[in-house]
Amino acid sequence: MLAALLAAVAAFVTTSQAQVTLQQVTNGLVSYYPLDQLVPGSTNSTPDVLSRRDLSMFLADSAHFMNGPAYLISTNVDSHPGMGDSTNVMNLSQSPSPTVMVYFGTGQNALTGVGDFLPFINQRGATMNFWIKGAVPGGTDQRVMAECAQNGNNVPFFSLSSQPGTKLSLGYFLRAVQTIPDPNGVTAFPMFDGTWELPLAGNGNTIWNQAASYATNTIFDNNWHMLTTIIETNGDLHVFVDGNYDPGANTTTDLEGNAAMASSIFLTNVYYQTNIYPFSTPPTNNPPPNGFVRWVISGLDAAGAATAFGGFDRNNTIAGGPPIHLSDIGFWNRPLQTNEIRFVMTNGISGLGFNSNAIIIVNFSADFKEVGQNHTVQLNWNVIGANSTPGGIVISGVGDVSATPSSSAIVTVAKNSTYTFTLNAHNGLVVDKHATVTVQTFAGVPSDWNLIQRFDGVFGNTTTGINGNGWVGLTGYYGGNLDRFNVVTVNGNKVLSPKSGYGPDTANSPVGWDSLGALAYGGLNGLTIPPFQKNTLFFRFSVTEPTGIPYLTTNLFSGLDFVLGLTDFGFATGPIGGASPPATGALGPGLRIQQYDSNNGYQPAAWNLVADNYDGTNVLNTYSYTADGVNGSASGLLTNVTYYCWLDVSNNNTMQSINGTVTNTINEPLYALWIQKQGDPSRTQLFANYGGDRSWANAGQNSDNPSPNLNKVFVSVATENLLNNDQGAFFATNNMILIDDFYLSTNGYSSTIPRLFNITSVVRNPTNAIVTWESLGSMFQTNSYSVQRTFSLNPAAWVTVTNGMPSGGDFTSFTDANIGQKAFYRITWP
């Protein structure tokens, strides 16, 4: 009896020691979203009550935005004790679009990992927990929770997704860019900032294939389930469903050999191309294998990386996932123990008050990072938690804006210099927060034109696509390394051009030999064209003959289709090769530059310029440069020369989505195209009064909602094998097309060239004079100038002192030797 009593006491003591308290469970809890309320004063955000990483809500119809609590539904008898204090939950299944909740991170230090806790996938030793309820999803897999670099490519991308068909489980995947040899010959993942990321341990399994890691437990049976995801300190990933460990439906094991949902996320290291990592002070000079930095996943360490629930924010597009309800999202900076998970499952988290003291600078940005001198720039801000009384929000160059925590202001930048604007937010309860925005000015932009992008200013050369400074660059549907728009230097001038190449299809693509196109677009921001406004979009382009690959034995039809224009669509994944978005033409007023060859192998063919005329339903007819034959153009566009284009657009369109109903109340926008070959004395109108295609039917309706405003300039390229409907890129030549100098007229149509040249200085020395002028950067065709001189203006006797002088880029200088007297100069071009 005594032995039995002692055994019972021992059992009681063991059980007592294993008991978990709320205080213990909340240790390390860094973010908690009860999802039972909205941020006070907001109709479209729900709070993280601890750290104020509030979730902004997108895509729901206007009634939900206006009514606020319509997001929230009462679970009534369906609630579970583990779902917090309230019976309210978040409804993400409204019509016409599922609501998506997004938090945009503030960034992490790539050297140390210190910074914002989110994105979750960047953590080691962390837990994510939430409650989910949904029906069995059909069709393709849909994102329940996803993390991606904001405005970046579709890689890296971490996702928890519903599974297609009748599966009731949930899948995990983590996708990163395809590995390529780095400058040291090591297979690596290229990073956006020019560094490289390598696997540090194991067999290099840092990436889980999409839809490869399934839960074994039932998730989507229209009942509530608690889902717990843990990343251990060694990179193991473990999943619990309703407090029970889920080994995954695969044969994957963790580092200890136990069954696991997915393979371990091995630590990674990062080093710079020159073995000098530039983002430390002083720069770190420690080459591999010793120069290992931290575990941050490339592209998810920058400010703006998105953590989304109910869908995703990828490639600057927010799209909804399956119809679900969510409740009680929690993030811990440590792995929860099994008994702690079961405590949360049984008791939930209660008694956590709303933290109203935090200051969050959600956004502080400029609509353009480079603008013309004496022009204006629009500053935008959104601040939460600052005082609304004077001193709460102060912006240099703008003033005190405390009364308008979310607004914008127009600032004139008159000097030819770099402007830095600083926002200071204050509430007297916590430390002030600051943010800065830098804007450059560029002299030589006339008053009747606004600079959109010339690429020479804020951009350096890129190799992995154009992202940042207001631009988004996408690869095609399969996200390969080929065909992406980059900033490249040609003849000393930075231009936009797709990088091409060739590669066999080895990635389960159904389309054969593939490099599936690319797309890039820049926001018009403060220059957005509203309905009934008229503007001219100016740009330059040049084409060259691509080099075929003669050793191919497959039956290939070579086709290239470039599209340039204006749009309001969001483009979820970019074009799928051979089809500019959409297949019938541009989504908006624009022109297409094409080269097709109907032979079985690549043969030189004429470059053609095409435009589609859309009546709101169909493409009525198509303008063809070669068929219509303007100024001897029947043989096609000339290669290695520069063309100037003026796209006159009247936005006679109010197409938009109103409470789920698509309304097209007026005709498509009308546009006309003028063109002038460099060296010609005048321009020629090719067509006029064409309709620009903005058809709702050609859009992904969760992500490409039309609006009445034209708000983007975009370029795309697609390649095609029409003989068997394959997409493919079979050209060894880069720079098949060069695009440069996007300008938008300030008012109405404009027939001028935005920037030719202006003399900036004449320096007189004892024996010579140096004349410097702003010049037009060269493309394939080098611009040349003539310098003339006269010693008197009354009368003037102009003498050419040099002829055919090549452009020096943005600025060109000529030294006139042996000049000992006063002289006058003029520059002529072409």
Side-chain angles (χ1 to χ4, degrees):
M1 291 180 59
L2 180 59
L5 179 60
L6 291 176
V9 171
F12 173 77
V13 170
T14 302
T15 303
S16 299
Q17 290 175 341
Q19 292 298 315
V20 177
T21 65
L22 178 63
Q23 182 179 7
Q24 178 182 337
V25 164
T26 55
N27 177 38
L29 182 65
V30 293
S31 286
Y32 176 57
Y33 306 85
L35 302 186
D36 59 3
Q37 60 186 300
L38 299 178
V39 172
S42 169
T43 61
N44 65 338
S45 62
T46 186
D48 165 12
V49 298
L50 295 179
S51 302
R52 299 304 307 279
R53 298 181 178 92
D54 300 341
L55 296 171
S56 299
M57 293 184 274
F58 299 90
L59 296 187
D61 59 66
S62 59
H64 288 86
F65 281 116
M66 289 186 293
N67 296 331
Y71 285 114
L72 306 173
I73 62 172
S74 174
T75 60
N76 296 319
V77 296
D78 195 22
S79 63
H80 190 283
M83 293 167 55
D85 296 327
S86 173
T87 59
N88 287 344
V89 299
M90 190 61 65
N91 175 17
L92 303 183
S93 59
Q94 300 99 332
S95 177
S97 298
T99 302
V100 182
M101 305 184 297
V102 185
Y103 170 72
F104 300 105
T106 59
Q108 299 170 8
N109 187 310
L111 283 169
T112 64
V114 173
D116 200 338
F117 179 84
L118 295 175
F120 171 71
I121 195 60
N122 262 357
Q123 303 303 315
R124 292 299 177 272
T127 302
M128 173 175 61
N129 188 83
F130 60 87
W131 287 83
I132 182 172
K133 175 184 177 182
V136 177
T140 59
D141 60 321
Q142 300 179 62
R143 317 306 185 211
V144 172
M145 179 266 181
E147 294 183 316
C148 187
Q150 186 194 20
N151 297 344
N153 292 328
N154 58 358
V155 288
F157 188 59
F158 168 65
S159 177
L160 281 62
S161 305
S162 64
Q163 297 306 311
T166 59
K167 294 181 180 179
L168 300 177
S169 59
L170 183 138
Y172 288 67
F173 76 85
L174 173 63
R175 180 171 58 215
V177 293
Q178 182 178 344
T179 55
I180 60 176
D182 70 359
N184 296 317
V186 180
T187 300
F189 302 112
M191 297 177 68
F192 296 123
D193 60 8
T195 61
W196 299 84
E197 184 176 53
L198 301 168
L200 181 63
N203 59 4
N205 269 338
T206 58
I207 307 304
W208 315 321
N209 290 329
Q210 182 168 341
S213 303
Y214 303 146
T216 59
N217 284 274
T218 297
I219 305 291
F220 293 102
D221 58 357
N222 217 21
N223 293 306
W224 283 105
H225 295 284
M226 191 180 82
L227 185 70
T228 310
T229 303
I230 295 175
I231 302 177
E232 305 286 357
T233 55
N234 65 352
D236 285 348
L237 185 129
H238 295 144
V239 173
F240 292 78
V241 177
D242 297 331
N244 299 312
Y245 183 74
D246 194 310
N250 310 295
T251 58
T252 306
T253 59
D254 61 17
L255 293 177
E256 293 72 40
N258 304 309
M261 175 66 63
S263 57
S264 302
I265 313 171
F266 295 115
L267 302 184
T268 59
N269 69 79
V270 177
Y271 68 94
Y272 195 54
Q273 293 184 35
T274 60
N275 296 331
I276 299 176
Y277 197 85
F279 304 109
S280 60
T281 304
T284 303
N285 186 358
N286 192 9
N290 300 315
F292 295 157
V293 190
R294 286 294 294 268
W295 36 255
V296 211
I297 293 175
S298 168
L300 291 175
D301 54 352
T307 296
F309 288 88
F312 62 81
D313 174 38
R314 186 176 65 192
N315 296 332
N316 202 30
T317 297
I318 295 173
I324 56 174
H325 294 165
L326 284 181
S327 186
D328 289 73
I329 302 172
F331 289 101
W332 283 258
N333 62 10
R334 65 181 181 88
L336 290 183
Q337 301 300 312
T338 301
N339 56 354
E340 293 176 313
I341 296 171
R342 290 174 178 165
F343 176 92
V344 175
M345 172 77 185
T346 303
N347 304 284
I349 299 172
S350 60
L352 297 181
F354 180 80
N355 177 12
S356 60
N357 296 332
I359 296 175
I360 301 174
I361 301 177
V362 179
N363 174 52
F364 183 49
S365 61
D367 57 352
F368 294 98
K369 293 297 183 69
E370 183 182 42
V371 297
Q373 183 184 353
N374 293 317
H375 287 224
T376 61
V377 64
Q378 178 175 298
L379 299 180
N380 313 285
W381 64 89
N382 182 8
V383 180
I384 297 174
N387 288 342
S388 58
T389 54
I393 307 172
V394 179
I395 302 175
S396 61
V398 177
D400 194 302
V401 296
S402 306
T404 54
S406 179
S407 189
S408 62
I410 303 296
V411 179
T412 300
V413 284
K415 297 179 180 180
N416 187 17
S417 64
T418 298
Y419 287 76
T420 299
F421 300 95
T422 301
L423 181 151
N424 183 75
H426 169 82
N427 66 10
L429 301 173
V430 296
V431 176
D432 289 1
K433 284 200 172 181
H434 313 275
T436 60
V437 169
T438 300
V439 177
Q440 296 179 192
T441 58
F442 176 56
V445 180
S447 60
D448 56 339
W449 288 100
N450 285 303
L451 173 63
I452 298 176
Q453 187 56 254
R454 65 188 184 97
F455 303 107
D456 294 86
V458 294
F459 276 106
N461 288 343
T462 65
T463 58
T464 57
I466 176 172
N467 287 287
N469 296 316
W471 280 77
V472 177
L474 310 180
T475 55
Y477 185 77
Y478 292 92
N481 281 327
L482 308 179
D483 282 359
R484 63 183 68 192
F485 280 94
N486 286 300
V487 176
V488 299
T489 298
V490 177
N491 291 332
N493 180 45
K494 287 188 174 65
V495 297
L496 191 64
S497 180
K499 173 186 177 182
S500 188
Y502 177 80
D505 170 30
T506 58
N508 302 317
S509 166
V511 295
W513 309 86
D514 59 26
S515 176
L516 297 178
L519 182 144
Y521 57 82
L524 293 182
N525 302 311
L527 304 181
T528 290
I529 304 174
F532 310 111
Q533 181 169 299
K534 295 181 179 180
N535 289 94
T536 298
L537 176 70
F538 176 90
F539 55 90
R540 301 189 300 156
F541 77 88
S542 181
V543 293
T544 191
E545 193 65 35
T547 302
I549 300 180
Y551 54 79
L552 293 178
T553 59
T554 52
N555 220 16
L556 292 178
F557 178 106
S558 57
L560 288 169
D561 194 344
F562 297 95
V563 187
L564 301 88
L566 295 168
T567 188
D568 60 320
F569 282 83
F571 301 123
T573 58
I576 301 176
S580 56
T584 56
L587 280 177
L591 72 152
R592 304 166 69 181
I593 303 168
Q594 300 176 333
Q595 186 191 66
Y596 285 117
D597 168 50
S598 59
N599 295 303
N600 289 342
Y602 173 75
Q603 299 292 329
W607 284 94
N608 192 20
L609 188 152
V610 175
D612 298 323
N613 188 7
Y614 190 72
D615 69 350
T617 304
N618 301 296
V619 174
L620 298 179
N621 54 70
T622 300
Y623 173 86
S624 172
Y625 193 71
T626 56
D628 295 325
V630 177
N631 290 341
S633 64
S635 59
L637 296 167
L638 299 179
T639 57
N640 300 342
V641 301
T642 300
Y643 288 94
Y644 304 130
C645 290
W646 292 259
L647 194 70
D648 292 341
V649 176
S650 178
N651 187 20
N652 299 349
N653 181 274
T654 57
M655 178 185 288
Q656 57 187 315
S657 176
I658 303 176
N659 293 333
T661 301
V662 176
T663 302
N664 188 7
T665 60
I666 207 163
N667 293 327
E668 297 292 321
L670 296 180
Y671 70 113
L673 181 71
W674 300 74
I675 195 169
Q676 178 180 352
K677 181 172 70 70
Q678 180 174 305
D680 287 351
S682 61
R683 64 182 194 153
T684 301
Q685 186 177 62
L686 300 186
F687 60 85
N689 296 319
Y690 269 32
D693 182 1
R694 294 166 75 187
S695 171
W696 166 260
N698 291 318
Q701 296 183 13
N702 280 343
S703 57
D704 290 333
N705 299 286
S707 76
N709 302 315
L710 291 169
N711 57 21
K712 299 180 184 71
V713 55
F714 78 97
V715 296
S716 76
V717 58
T719 55
E720 185 169 28
N721 173 1
L722 291 183
L723 291 184
N724 56 6
N725 293 319
D726 281 355
Q727 291 90 0
F730 2 97
F731 304 111
T733 304
N734 289 332
N735 305 338
M736 294 171 293
I737 184 171
L738 305 180
I739 307 164
D740 201 6
D741 293 321
F742 285 102
Y743 289 82
L744 192 71
S745 63
T746 57
N747 184 28
Y749 299 147
S750 179
S751 61
T752 64
I753 297 176
R755 180 174 179 263
L756 284 176
F757 58 91
N758 296 298
I759 293 179
T760 57
S761 68
V762 178
V763 178
R764 183 181 179 186
N765 299 310
T767 58
N768 61 44
I770 302 173
V771 185
T772 301
W773 62 94
E774 294 173 346
S775 50
L776 195 65
S778 301
M779 298 177 78
F780 279 123
Q781 181 182 8
T782 301
N783 302 316
S784 59
Y785 299 88
S786 295
V787 179
Q788 294 181 322
R789 178 188 65 206
T790 182
F791 294 112
S792 173
L793 294 178
N794 188 23
W798 294 104
V799 175
T800 299
V801 293
T802 185
N803 191 27
M805 183 175 182
S807 169
D810 282 341
F811 295 92
T812 302
S813 294
F814 168 75
T815 300
D816 192 7
N818 301 319
I819 295 295
Q821 57 180 306
K822 179 173 66 175
F824 301 90
Y825 294 90
R826 71 180 183 185
I827 314 297
T828 62
W829 173 91

